[in-house]
Amino acid sequence: MENITNTNSVQENQNPEVIKTAVVAIIGRPSAGKSTFLNTACQEPVSIVSPIPQTTRNAIKGIVNTSYGQLIFIDTPGYHTSEKKLNLRLKNVTETQLEDIDCVLYVIDSTRIPGEEETHTAQLLKNIQEKVVVAINKTDLPTSKTAPIRQFIATNLSNIPNERIFEMSAEKDIGINEVLKGLYDISPEGEPMYDEELYTDQDLSFRVCEIIRGEAINRLQDEIPHAVYVEVADVEHRNEGKKLWIRAFLCVERESQKGIVIGKGASKIKEIRMAAIAKLSEIYIQKIDLDLQVKVNKNWRQKDYTLNKLIPE
């Protein structure tokens, strides 16, 4: 991505004395590309990206610093209509994030014709349209159809002007700067909330959990990705801080799922473990030693105690 802090960029801030800071909620249906946008904008792996819908379970912060100021993005779970207990918790996470934000980035997948679920998502933004920037995503794909999306926006969010509707490819890094500039245009003036070198406020245990879960769900199939969560049991700094030793558990709902996650000859869990170590090594300078095991928490998606730990209300 051409960084808009670049002094040679046509999008350089022409009035550097005016600094904008905003908290921005990213809203959209599952698999619209919210997490991909966040990672591309931050230029770091902040949020899990997967073709599996509703991979994001928490409100995850990613921080973008440019010559215009600071945008603190909150990646929310995909807004999905379902009465299952886990999904209701995820919907609540999304709805709660709209209460105290400065801006909203509404990401719409241009390869899917808007339906009832998209209408429900747009309804969340009906009363705060002055805060909304729309990003029509995946416009690089041959199946992209932007005209129906623009008509949908005109019908359901008629107060959003065309200059706040952008076309982009979050995966190919096309149009990201224009989206960021659109958000800065409606952001309030203010001093940055975080140091410039930060791109997320996630703590160590949370990042470890998300990375392991991300590597697991992209290697599993059927219902199992939704039945997995990660529990970090121990983290120790060893060898005078040169080694990061972690013990973690991949938790599933049933004994039959445990065998699938472990794999024949422990091949699957080894693959997940090695991939997680590689990803963690890109983030942390210490040598990573990961003890990864699988355990069963029967029907955890129906247990308030477990859900409260994973997705606090």
Side-chain angles (χ1 to χ4, degrees):
M1 178 176 70
E2 181 188 13
N3 194 323
I4 60 180
T5 59
N6 189 326
T7 55
N8 296 319
S9 170
V10 295
Q11 298 190 38
E12 180 194 356
N13 187 356
Q14 300 301 315
N15 187 3
E17 294 182 359
V18 178
I19 300 298
K20 303 287 193 75
T21 297
V23 177
V24 184
I26 309 176
I27 302 296
R29 290 171 63 194
S31 301
K34 300 180 299 298
S35 297
T36 301
F37 169 84
L38 183 63
N39 292 342
T40 302
C42 293
Q43 302 183 52
E44 296 288 351
V46 176
S47 192
I48 296 174
V49 174
S50 171
I52 306 295
Q54 290 195 299
T55 299
T56 301
R57 290 178 179 168
N58 303 83
I60 296 173
K61 284 184 182 177
I63 303 164
V64 173
N65 293 288
T66 74
S67 59
Y68 289 92
Q70 187 174 87
L71 298 175
I72 301 101
F73 287 97
I74 302 176
D75 185 16
T76 63
Y79 202 73
H80 171 62
T81 304
S82 170
E83 293 304 311
K84 291 183 178 180
K85 183 173 284 192
L86 175 60
N87 185 72
L88 292 174
R89 188 67 64 94
L90 297 179
K91 285 178 66 176
N92 182 64
V93 170
T94 299
E95 292 166 1
T96 300
Q97 294 309 313
L98 295 175
E99 295 174 2
D100 297 304
I101 45 83
D102 300 300
C103 308
V104 176
L105 177 60
Y106 179 21
V107 179
I108 305 182
D109 182 351
S110 64
T111 66
R112 294 186 289 182
I113 299 299
E116 182 180 356
E117 203 166 62
E118 196 73 71
T119 301
H120 288 162
T121 304
Q123 287 300 314
L124 289 174
L125 310 176
K126 198 78 173 179
N127 296 325
I128 54 171
Q129 295 182 59
E130 73 281 359
K131 297 182 177 183
V132 179
V133 166
V134 178
I136 303 174
N137 193 27
K138 306 183 185 180
T139 56
D140 59 308
L141 299 179
T143 53
S144 171
K145 293 181 175 61
T146 59
I149 303 298
R150 288 185 175 274
Q151 182 57 54
F152 172 84
I153 297 166
T155 301
N156 291 274
L157 297 168
S158 58
N159 291 333
I160 298 178
N162 283 329
E163 55 265 30
R164 280 197 267 128
I165 301 172
F166 301 90
E167 297 181 11
M168 72 172 187
S169 169
E171 183 177 16
K172 297 291 178 60
D173 195 357
I174 299 170
I176 301 295
N177 275 347
E178 289 75 14
V179 172
L180 294 176
K181 181 62 167 57
L183 288 165
Y184 279 117
D185 285 344
I186 62 171
S187 295
E189 294 183 23
E191 292 301 312
M193 297 169 62
Y194 294 92
D195 292 338
E196 286 189 5
E197 67 270 14
L198 289 179
Y199 61 87
T200 184
D201 68 344
Q202 299 168 8
D203 63 27
L204 174 60
S205 292
F206 182 83
R207 296 215 76 185
V208 169
C209 285
E210 287 294 277
I211 286 170
I212 294 172
R213 188 167 67 90
E215 297 305 324
I217 65 178
N218 284 320
R219 287 167 172 79
L220 300 170
Q221 56 187 356
D222 301 326
E223 174 66 7
I224 292 180
H226 294 292
V228 168
Y229 73 92
V230 178
E231 185 178 280
V232 172
D234 295 290
V235 176
E236 295 180 9
H237 295 271
R238 296 180 174 179
N239 294 356
E240 298 179 345
K242 296 177 182 178
K243 178 186 286 188
L244 193 61
W245 179 84
I246 304 163
R247 175 182 289 127
F249 293 93
L250 267 171
C251 304
V252 294
E253 286 190 310
R254 301 191 297 273
E255 285 291 339
S256 59
Q257 295 169 340
K258 182 177 180 180
I260 295 172
V261 175
I262 293 173
K264 186 176 181 180
S267 59
K268 185 62 69 176
I269 190 65
K270 180 179 179 181
E271 182 184 344
I272 294 169
R273 174 179 171 272
M274 296 307 296
I277 288 174
K279 188 64 67 68
L280 288 165
S281 296
E282 295 175 4
I283 300 173
Y284 300 105
I285 61 173
Q286 299 98 324
K287 181 179 179 182
I288 306 297
D289 187 356
L290 175 61
D291 176 7
L292 184 60
Q293 302 175 38
V294 183
K295 71 177 183 180
V296 177
N297 181 356
K298 190 174 181 181
N299 297 327
W300 67 264
R301 284 182 288 181
Q302 301 303 318
K303 295 179 179 178
D304 287 333
Y305 173 75
T306 302
L307 291 175
N308 286 337
K309 287 199 303 180
L310 298 175
I311 313 167
E313 289 186 305

